[in-house]
Amino acid sequence: MQKAIRVKALDVHYGRSRALKSVSMDIPERSVVALIGPSGCGKSTFLRCLNRMNDTVPGAKVEGDVEVDGHSVYRNGTDVVELRRQVGMVFQKPNPFPKSIRDNVLFGPRLHRRMDRAECDRVLESSLRRAAIWDEVKDRLDAPAMGLSGGQQQRLCIARALAVEPRILLMDEPCSALDPIATAKIEELIQDLKKELTVVMVTHNMQQAARASDYTGFFYLGELVEFGTTKQVFENPREKRTEDYVTGRFG
Amino acid sequence: MPEVRLMARQFHQDLDKLKDRVLEMGAKARLNVVEGVRSVVERDTELAERVILRGEELNRMDVEIERDALDLLALNQPVAQDLRTVGASLKIITYLDRIGRYGYDLAKMTKQLGAREPSGKKPVTLSLMADHAMMMLDAALSAYKDRDGAKARGVGPQDEVVDALYEQMFRTTVTTMLEDPRTITRGAHLILAARHLERCADNASKIAEKALYMATGERRLPV
Ligand SMILES: Nc1ncnc2c1ncn2[C@@H]1O[C@H](COP(=O)(O)OP(=O)(O)O)[C@@H](O)[C@H]1O
Ligand SMILES: [Mg+2]
């Protein structure tokens, strides 16, 4: 299977403390990967390395390498803006801009290219449709995004990320601020998205990882303890630490 | 996440209880076979009566444990070892129900045969078969109890011994029936009894397979 992402011996330090310890992972294309593990084990740090968001974190030092579609993203001369177009990110707390729904979605595409009115409308509709929110907002595209419910805001943020046609979507606990119905919508949406792109998602919710992902990685104290198909990790984990964590026998 | 851990602890206690119930059911199924076969060998109709009176007990346990196991699944969505424990338990109670049923059928046989038929030789091979099948059952249940994969693996090969005893029982009984047609009714029943015990050993092997799966995640495919 084609690999969307190859992570090789990734090490991250924040100042003197080592947040990731030689993590390697191959992520197949068009799959959903769930990253699980206790708070502070390095999941978000790992995610941020995939599109070089750690560059902006003061004191962070990244060693090792990440390849996206066969290209090393840490080599000199990588166009970080283009990288982040290809590798989009959705955060835990929905963070729409204090602008209209339309402006939120079109923000990214307009940064990357000039678009006429017709193209704007096309990108707007298709992004909102792919994020499964079109029917809910099509009659109020110029209303403020802040007026939407939490779940709608999160899907709007996904639409915003999709508008620039990424190949990979990173999600850091995308549902932890949402109610169960809104969560179910996002999970359904993720299943649709994987037909076209690769999703890497951090989640605190073990059931969500089991339901929504094809592969699961378990992090502990900066180490990737186990990475395998979700079925294997939840039915028959290889490592005792994984077993203890997923069955709630931890600590 | 202290509340998560608290709930996990409650769940693990419930899971231990489920295992205890399965083991309790195992002891009852075992008793049925041991007493059932003794009633046949010793032509003890009183003992047979007692086994028959317990008839519904295993059935009830089967239903209750299944219900409890499904509740655990619905409420806790267990994973990994916990999931395998619930899954193995659900299968094991079916095998135990069958084993207990064979014991019950043996007791029924004793009552049917009554004292009318001529006795012939004591069918000690049946006792041997029962002993061996029950030794397999004990090992399988102890592997289940202790999550002992190595012990579980040891059970399957024992099945051959019971099979061989069955062949032997079949041959000698047929010979006796040919020599003395008055033993035919009893002989036919004894062959059936031996068949039941051979099936008990098969079911014990199945239990061991599930215990192995529970302990290691390993699945044995039929060869
Ligand atoms: N910006 C930062 N500066 C310093 N330390 C950080 C920073 N971000 C994360 N850390 C530390 O790195 C470790 C991993 O954190 P993080 O990747 O956020 O874990 P997780 O997402 O699994 O909860 C933690 O010990 C955390 O305190
Ligand atoms: Mg995090």
Side-chain angles (χ1 to χ4, degrees), chain B residues 77-92:
Chain B
Q77 293 111 40
V79 297
Q81 179 187 291
D82 298 341
L83 174 67
R84 302 199 306 269
T85 301
V86 178
S89 302
L90 275 168
K91 296 284 286 192
I92 287 174

Side-chain angles (χ1 to χ4, degrees), chain B residues 108-120:
Chain B
K108 278 263 170 166
M109 200 178 283
T110 303
K111 291 209 57 178
Q112 260 176 31
L113 279 170
R116 284 170 300 139
E117 302 291 334
S119 58

Side-chain angles (χ1 to χ4, degrees), chain B residues 134-155:
Chain B
M134 291 307 100
M135 187 196 79
M136 290 169 65
L137 178 63
D138 291 344
L141 288 176
S142 137
Y144 166 77
K145 177 165 172 281
D146 300 330
R147 303 181 186 286
D148 185 338
K151 190 179 268 175
R153 270 190 210 96
V155 174

Side-chain angles (χ1 to χ4, degrees), chain A residues 169-236:
Chain A
L169 196 58
L170 310 177
M171 302 175 126
D172 197 344
E173 302 188 37
C175 302
S176 58
L178 307 184
D179 65 53
I181 307 248
T183 298
K185 285 198 176 132
I186 304 266
E187 284 183 20
E188 242 175 75
L189 167 59
I190 289 172
Q191 298 313 307
D192 284 337
L193 290 179
K194 81 167 181 185
K195 290 173 196 145
E196 318 158 37
L197 42 87
T198 305
V199 177
V200 186
M201 166 178 67
V202 170
T203 176
H204 253 120
N205 180 332
M206 226 84 74
Q207 261 84 46
Q208 177 168 70
R211 275 192 305 266
S213 71
D214 305 304
Y215 298 86
T216 295
F218 169 58
F219 283 81
Y220 186 58
L221 297 176
E223 240 182 273
L224 178 62
V225 174
E226 182 156 357
F227 181 72
T229 65
T230 296
K231 194 167 160 295
Q232 179 256 313
V233 171
F234 282 96
E235 191 178 331
N236 191 15

